[in-house]
Amino acid sequence: MSTTNKSDEAVTKNRHAAPPQTNKSSENSKDNQAATTLPLDVYHIVRDLVLFFCRRIIFGPPRFKLLVSFAIILIGSILKSLDLAPTSYFSLKHNIFNRYFAKLGWAWTIGLLFPFIYLTLMTTHNNYQIVTRHLVRLLVATGVWYIITYIFVSFEAYTGMCKHQEMRGASRKICVGGGYEWQEGHDFSGHTFLLLYSLLIINEEVKSYDKGTKKVQQASQSTNASGDTLGNISQDQLKLISKIIQIIYVLLAALTILWEFMLLSTALYYHHTFHKLAAAFVAVFFWYITYYVWYRPNSTSILYPSSPKERNY
């Protein structure tokens, strides 16, 4: 009897001793979980703040972007004409921004817009015909950029001349290559056209696809995407695509800031005021005539590329 009582007492003690160990382990797991989720929560807060800043400030309404851009051009040109522009590294023609960004400006713009539009449309529509009709806009914009730039360069070459008496009919390349001075003609600012045209197109494409990025984010966070255009894409793929789209979105915002800064640099140090304003008006004209006159919402015609303002988002 004594042996039985002792064993019963041991079992009773073990039963009473077990709960405290369980509580300690649960508390440790909660602490570990909180320590794990804290960096993730901070990441989400920072990400949401950055995206909010991009949507509300950097990618503003078109009228606001036009007002800011023309203010930059006018103020910079006035400072240049009054010789108040400070001499700095950015006044050098061969600074790193001119060599690796301005001269390759269109490549930077298209290089970010193409994957942004493609990924957003493939996840929200998953239809190659729709994607193609939207990507045609980038082809049209590239054609506009190339033709206008070629016209500017050709017009300057036609109206300018070599200052050496025997080289008056020579081209600029031959004149400068021969060590002679070239008298510039009407040198319309190709940089102003490129930068402003890129700013307007980026702003148009990004704001129009903002709903699409939100749809991808919502689908990536849901547990079931069946019945949607995203149904044949796995959750892991959606989460990865959503993060890639967000990264490109932020990179486009950073590129927008850089283009605005370089637009100010161009206004401060290069070209005549008339040439910069003329180039700016050309950029605005082709942006408006394509996005607000030529492109059509939900267009199925080859002659009319689809507008980014689709009604079926």
Side-chain angles (χ1 to χ4, degrees):
M1 292 293 292
S2 60
T3 305
T4 305
N5 291 335
K6 287 181 180 180
S7 62
D8 292 338
E9 290 177 0
V11 170
T12 304
K13 288 181 180 179
N14 289 334
R15 287 178 179 176
H16 287 294
Q21 293 179 357
T22 305
N23 291 336
K24 287 183 179 179
S25 61
S26 62
E27 288 176 1
N28 291 333
S29 63
K30 288 181 179 179
D31 292 339
N32 293 333
Q33 185 177 4
T36 304
T37 57
L38 180 59
L40 189 61
D41 291 339
V42 173
Y43 162 75
H44 286 306
I45 292 173
V46 173
R47 182 200 64 184
D48 293 341
L49 287 174
V50 171
L51 294 177
F52 177 83
F53 181 77
C54 292
R55 289 188 180 102
R56 300 298 181 184
I57 307 299
I58 299 177
F59 301 127
R63 291 182 181 179
F64 174 74
K65 299 297 292 185
L66 287 174
L67 180 63
V68 171
S69 298
F70 275 92
I72 289 173
I73 295 171
L74 287 172
I75 293 173
S77 299
I78 291 172
L79 293 175
K80 180 180 182 297
S81 62
L82 296 176
D83 292 327
L84 296 177
T87 302
S88 66
Y89 172 76
F90 303 104
S91 61
L92 303 176
K93 285 188 176 182
H94 298 291
N95 67 66
I96 189 172
F97 293 98
N98 273 341
R99 286 194 298 172
Y100 297 107
F101 289 97
K103 290 185 178 180
L104 301 173
W106 192 249
W108 284 105
T109 301
I110 295 298
L112 289 177
L113 278 179
F114 183 89
F116 182 81
I117 296 172
Y118 177 82
L119 290 175
T120 305
L121 282 170
M122 283 304 296
T123 50
T124 54
H125 293 285
N126 197 20
N127 186 313
Y128 281 104
Q129 291 182 348
I130 294 177
V131 174
T132 302
R133 289 202 298 269
H134 283 273
L135 288 176
V136 167
R137 292 196 302 272
L138 298 184
L139 181 63
V140 171
T142 301
V144 170
W145 161 76
Y146 181 82
I147 292 172
I148 296 301
T149 303
Y150 178 79
I151 291 175
F152 283 178
V153 173
S154 300
F155 193 72
E156 193 280 327
Y158 179 77
T159 56
M161 65 177 180
C162 190
K163 286 189 176 182
H164 191 272
Q165 187 66 29
E166 297 178 359
M167 302 287 290
R168 288 291 177 91
S171 65
R172 179 171 185 165
K173 184 177 181 180
I174 295 175
C175 178
V176 176
Y180 305 111
E181 187 178 357
W182 177 264
Q183 180 178 334
E184 292 186 353
H186 293 286
D187 187 16
F188 292 104
S189 180
H191 278 186
T192 300
F193 169 78
L194 165 68
L195 295 171
L196 182 54
Y197 191 54
S198 298
L199 284 169
L200 292 172
I201 288 179
I202 291 173
N203 193 66
E204 199 73 40
E205 297 290 346
V206 169
K207 287 184 67 64
S208 299
Y209 283 97
D210 197 30
K211 292 182 180 179
T213 60
K214 289 180 180 178
K215 186 175 181 180
V216 174
Q217 292 173 24
Q218 292 171 359
S220 67
Q221 295 170 358
S222 64
T223 56
N224 185 13
S226 60
D228 199 346
T229 54
L230 309 176
N232 61 343
I233 303 177
S234 68
Q235 290 299 111
D236 291 337
Q237 289 177 326
L238 277 173
K239 290 179 180 178
L240 177 61
I241 292 172
S242 177
K243 289 181 180 179
I244 293 174
I245 291 174
Q246 288 175 7
I247 291 172
I248 299 175
Y249 187 88
V250 174
L251 288 176
L252 284 167
L255 188 66
T256 296
I257 295 173
L258 178 61
W259 282 174
E260 289 175 344
F261 173 77
M262 294 190 65
L263 186 63
L264 175 62
S265 178
T266 300
L268 282 172
Y269 301 114
Y270 309 108
H271 303 285
H272 297 293
T273 302
F274 171 75
H275 294 154
K276 285 178 283 193
L277 287 175
F281 278 113
V282 171
V284 172
F285 172 79
F286 280 100
W287 158 73
Y288 183 83
I289 206 71
T290 51
Y291 280 88
Y292 292 91
V293 177
W294 186 12
Y295 302 155
R296 306 289 174 85
N298 300 308
S299 173
T300 57
S301 173
I302 301 176
L303 300 177
Y304 298 98
S306 293
S307 168
K309 298 177 178 60
E310 292 284 10
R311 291 190 293 267
N312 57 354
Y313 265 119

